[in-house]
């Protein structure tokens, strides 16, 4: 959460009410294999629901099966690249996601090798 006042208001509201999913406000992307939902809208209320109530769910429209990308995409933490062409695809918006992606690739390879 980037605004302390909005975060504080979310905590105050959720101390009186249950967290309720709002399709207009709560948006995220779910990443398979690492089982993470990256919330990009409704951050204050979603994080407050998690921290304060330890409950609540949001629905996401976007699901990324990251394991399907491992052979085709890599990152240096600043940019995303096409593995085959070595060309830049996009910039990294959040370096934490890039780190998780590369760690997940390592884990995926370990699991794949141990099942062979």
């Amino acid at each position: 959460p980037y605004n302390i006042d909005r975060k504080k208001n979310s905590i105050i509201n959720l101390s009186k009410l249950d967290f309720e999913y709002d399709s207009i406000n709560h948006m995220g992307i779910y990443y398979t294999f690492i089982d993470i939902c990256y919330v990009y809208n409704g951050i204050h209320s979603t994080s407050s629901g998690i921290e304060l109530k330890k409950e609540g769910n949001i629905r996401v429209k976007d699901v990324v099966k990251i394991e399907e990308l491992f052979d085709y995409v890599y990152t240096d933490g600043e940019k995303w690249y096409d593995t085959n062409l070595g060309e830049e695809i996009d910039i990294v918006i959040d370096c934490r996601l890039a780190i998780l992606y590369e760690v997940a690739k390592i884990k995926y390879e370990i699991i794949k090798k141990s099942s062979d």
Side-chain angles (χ1 to χ4, degrees):
Y2 52 88
N3 184 309
I4 193 71
D5 291 328
R6 289 178 69 186
K7 176 70 175 186
K8 185 173 95 175
N9 289 336
S10 289
I11 290 171
I12 291 168
N13 289 335
L14 285 174
S15 68
K16 301 171 191 168
L17 306 167
D18 289 335
F19 175 85
E20 289 189 29
Y21 167 70
D22 177 354
S23 62
I24 295 172
N25 183 40
H26 300 116
M27 298 175 193
I29 302 170
Y30 177 70
Y31 294 89
T32 61
F33 192 71
I34 56 175
D35 193 28
I36 287 180
C37 181
Y38 181 78
V39 176
Y40 60 88
N41 203 62
I43 299 166
H44 298 90
S45 57
T46 303
S47 65
S48 297
I50 292 167
E51 294 166 9
L52 185 66
K53 300 278 189 162
K54 307 284 190 248
E55 65 182 23
N57 294 296
I58 68 168
R59 293 180 195 98
V60 297
K61 294 177 186 168
D62 300 314
V63 175
V64 177
K65 295 181 179 184
I66 63 166
E67 60 273 24
E68 294 178 0
L69 297 174
F70 291 156
D71 289 336
Y72 306 102
V73 176
Y74 74 95
T75 180
D76 61 6
E78 293 182 7
K79 297 178 182 174
W80 297 97
Y81 297 94
D82 178 306
T83 300
N84 296 323
L85 302 175
E87 294 177 357
E88 179 184 333
I89 298 170
D90 204 348
I91 62 166
V92 169
I93 294 171
D94 189 329
C95 68
R96 296 170 296 182
L97 189 56
I99 292 166
L100 286 171
Y101 176 81
E102 287 298 326
V103 170
K105 272 176 49 174
I106 294 166
K107 179 181 175 184
Y108 181 79
E109 288 301 318
I110 291 169
I111 290 170
K112 196 165 91 172
K113 286 179 185 175
S114 67
S115 65
D116 289 343

